[in-house]
Every structure is written in C-alpha cells, then in structure tokens.
Amino acid sequence: MLNKKTFLMLAMAAGVVAAPAVHAQGFGGGLGSIGKSALSGAESGVESQGASMASSMLPSLSSASTGNLAGILGYCVQNNVLQQSSSTAQSVLGSLTQQPGVTSSSAYEAGQRGLLQTGNNQMFSLANLKGELKTKLCSMVLDKAQSAL
C-alpha cells in the first residue's frame, strides 16, 4: 500500500500534480529536499506555461501602422503602463510623433484611445487587458516602435 509521500512523488513524476506548496504542507511537510525541489520545478513549469499562454493571447502588431503604434505608445505612457521603460518610451514617442503625418492620422487617434489595429479594419482594445498582459503588450509596442525608427 502506498503512503501519502510515495503517492505524491509518483503523481508529480507522472505530471498529474502541479499543485502549489500549500498542498505539500498538507502531507505533513515531509517531502524532503527532493520532493520540495520537484514540487518547486512543477510550480515554475506551470507558471512559465501560463505566462507563455497569456502572451500568445495577445494580438499581433504586424498590421499596426506607425501612427497607430505611436498612439498606443502614447496611451501606455499616459497610463503609466511602462513605468520601468518610461523614459525610453517617451523618447521613442517623441521621435515617432515628429514624423510627417503620424499625429494627424486616424490610426494615431485610435491608438491614443488604446485601440490597436489588428488588420481587416479590426481593433483590439487595451482597456480589456489587466496587469502583466497590458504591460507585456505595451513593451511589445515599444520594441516594434523602436525598430520602426
């Protein structure tokens, strides 16, 4: 008959359990260093898998015009989404808005309202994003805008 510790180790090895550390404590904390290491690895794998799945849910920037990227970047700066990169974002935004026709385009205006062009006359609203997803998309926009200069 399997004891709780052995069952947990077998379940983790099979990939059946990717539970947080709280569940490990429910087994008396007797996992030992190998069990704790395996549980920690499982948690990290689940977290990174979740982050990559979330990033894949973000829209592509391939259809966004320079004006739209500049507007989105302005939206991100205005809403303090890019706090750690705000000086870079402001510098890139300044360079983009000095290009002819950028600030007078409807795509720029849409971007300032947080609407990203996704192609086929479709828009994606950044207002629907929260936390890290919004930060990730704004970082993507900053990178794309920098490469457009």
Side-chain angles (χ1 to χ4, degrees):
M1 182 164 173
L2 296 175
N3 64 28
K4 291 178 185 176
K5 183 176 170 184
T6 305
F7 175 76
L8 180 62
M9 294 298 290
L10 289 172
M12 285 175 26
V16 173
V17 176
V22 173
H23 288 154
Q25 293 170 356
F27 290 105
L31 287 176
S33 63
I34 294 173
K36 288 178 184 173
S37 176
L39 185 58
S40 176
E43 288 174 338
S44 295
V46 168
E47 287 173 8
S48 66
Q49 207 173 26
S52 67
M53 278 181 26
S55 292
S56 69
M57 293 174 20
L58 294 174
S60 170
L61 303 178
S62 63
S63 295
S65 66
T66 302
N68 189 236
L69 291 173
I72 291 288
L73 193 53
Y75 172 90
C76 295
V77 167
Q78 182 179 355
N79 290 289
N80 297 316
V81 179
L82 293 169
Q83 295 169 354
Q84 296 164 340
S85 306
S86 67
S87 62
T88 302
Q90 288 175 345
S91 174
V92 170
L93 180 60
S95 296
L96 286 175
T97 56
Q98 290 178 1
Q99 292 183 1
V102 168
T103 57
S104 62
S105 71
S106 60
Y108 175 77
E109 292 175 23
Q112 287 194 305
R113 293 191 314 268
L115 299 173
L116 174 69
Q117 295 171 328
T118 58
N120 296 327
N121 293 323
Q122 299 292 314
M123 296 281 190
F124 178 86
S125 176
L126 272 70
N128 297 330
L129 297 176
K130 303 287 184 237
E132 289 183 34
L133 282 178
K134 188 177 277 190
T135 302
K136 174 72 174 165
L137 186 58
C138 285
S139 293
M140 289 168 48
V141 167
L142 176 57
D143 291 344
K144 176 95 173 177
Q146 281 179 309
S147 69
L149 292 177

